[in-house]
Amino acid sequence: MTEPSLRVGLIAYGYAAKTFHAPLIDATAGLKLTAIATSRPADVIADWPDMVVKTEPDRLITHPGLDLVVIATPNDTHYPLARAALAAGKHVVIDKPFTLDLREADDLVQRAEEAGKLLSVFHNRRWDNDFLHLKSLLARKALGRVVQFNSNFDRFRPQVRQRWRESDVAGAGLWYDLGPHLLDQALQLFGLPERISADLALRREGAQAVDDFQVVLHYPAMRAVLSASTLVHGGTPRFLVQGTEAAYAVEGLDLQESWLKAGSRPDRVDWGHDSRYATLYRSENDQISSEQQALPAGDYAAYYAGIRDAIWGRAANPVPASEARDVMWLLDLARQSAAEGRQIAVI
């Protein structure tokens, strides 16, 4: 028996909603993008002429017939909007970061459990092609025992822009923007660390929010170094992973975001494939050899296909709120570490 399509409401139509959520929802069979709430209705109508548009989030949440509400608003509104949507009996997807802090995250996890509703966070970079390849290599122990994991997400954006993400407001800054991605990927590979230490900095002239960070996750026999900056021209690998049998390195970024931004859609036959490759390095008798490996297809569309199947009861939640909750925990602990200048125990 074919399930009826799930009706989806999207709150906000800024960069995240326009670039990621709207096109990915629209491209997923079994999901129907039904209504969008925004203060700029003309922008929605220009892209989606037949869309139901609400000017207030509350009016979208109470719009009849919606099954799923997707929240892609500024970070400080995630918690109250998700709480309202759960109270209205909706399944909920929240763009990362989950909330502003662990207390809010724990409260939403409890509310979703009590309501019997799906609650998920859009950690889409689990489906980056370079991460998928690394995950498969580690699963079959192709690198041996990992001793050092470096994950870098650098850009050169020297000018501070006038937008909430770079302002002195709760939830702004690079640690809340890219930190959740890097933490989530590390947790997927290695689980929770024993300790965390963090340097969160403001490097650019006129910066009001964190624009550079280096965070170390300390494990019993390895460390994971997560870093991002707005003042790097290039030269740092996206991943550099050292193991006892081999090392893994890859340059550049998965291109799915760029393709979505340019208007491409994931129903293209070549979606997710780009020209980058990974390099495996091995050393024997002080002689280093290298092997180039093609990357698999990245697949951001898998997230919403997973959401559909989870709501239909056919599969597990692709990003359970409990996992996103652990990301919030480490986001909080890193801020504490940076403020106090010391390592903080995790487990």
Side-chain angles (χ1 to χ4, degrees), residues 138 141-148 220-222 241-246:
L138 296 186
K141 302 187 184 305
L143 306 185
R145 178 173 59 85
V146 174
V147 296
Q148 177 84 7
M222 65 157 285
V241 186
Q242 303 289 347
T244 56
E245 299 296 327

Side-chain angles (χ1 to χ4, degrees), residues 9 41 76 84 86 95 108 132 134 164 184 186 191 214 219 270:
D76 60 353
L86 289 169
D95 196 77
L108 288 182
L132 290 172
L134 173 59
W164 71 264
D184 182 67
Q214 184 172 85
Y219 294 86
D270 61 344

Side-chain angles (χ1 to χ4, degrees), residues 98-167:
F98 187 4
T99 56
L100 288 182
D101 55 38
L102 183 60
R103 179 192 61 80
E104 291 182 347
D106 281 340
D107 184 65
L108 288 182
V109 169
Q110 181 177 348
R111 289 173 184 271
E113 290 175 352
E114 292 173 351
K117 294 298 178 182
L118 175 140
L119 176 62
S120 186
V121 178
F122 185 63
H123 282 300
N124 60 298
R125 292 197 176 273
R126 294 187 184 189
W127 291 273
D128 279 357
N129 55 3
D130 45 22
F131 179 73
L132 290 172
H133 189 50
L134 173 59
K135 189 176 180 181
S136 70
L137 290 173
L138 296 186
R140 62 179 188 268
K141 302 187 184 305
L143 306 185
R145 178 173 59 85
V146 174
V147 296
Q148 177 84 7
F149 173 79
N150 287 80
S151 177
N152 309 300
F153 204 124
D154 296 320
R155 298 160 168 166
F156 187 68
R157 296 180 178 176
Q159 303 302 320
V160 177
R161 296 170 59 187
Q162 298 300 311
R163 57 177 187 159
W164 71 264
R165 290 185 186 277
E166 300 183 53
S167 301

Side-chain angles (χ1 to χ4, degrees), residues 125 127-131 133 238 248 250-259 268-278 293-300:
R125 292 197 176 273
W127 291 273
D128 279 357
N129 55 3
D130 45 22
F131 179 73
H133 189 50
R238 173 65 184 89
Y248 171 89
V250 63
E251 305 282 343
L253 296 175
D254 181 289
L255 294 179
Q256 291 178 88
E257 178 176 354
S258 297
W259 294 335
R268 271 179 26 186
V269 294
D270 61 344
W271 182 264
H273 290 280
D274 59 46
S275 60
R276 296 182 307 140
Y277 54 85
Q293 296 188 335
L295 296 174
D299 191 11
Y300 289 171

Side-chain angles (χ1 to χ4, degrees), residues 2 40 160 169 171 259 311 328:
T2 302
R40 298 178 295 180
V160 177
V169 298
W259 294 335
I311 294 174
M328 291 308 310

Side-chain angles (χ1 to χ4, degrees), residues 5-9 32 34 60-68 90:
S5 290
L6 300 166
R7 292 160 56 88
V8 183
K32 179 175 176 55
T34 302
L60 180 135
I61 289 171
T62 58
H63 183 69
L66 292 183
D67 302 290
L68 170 66
K90 314 299 184 186

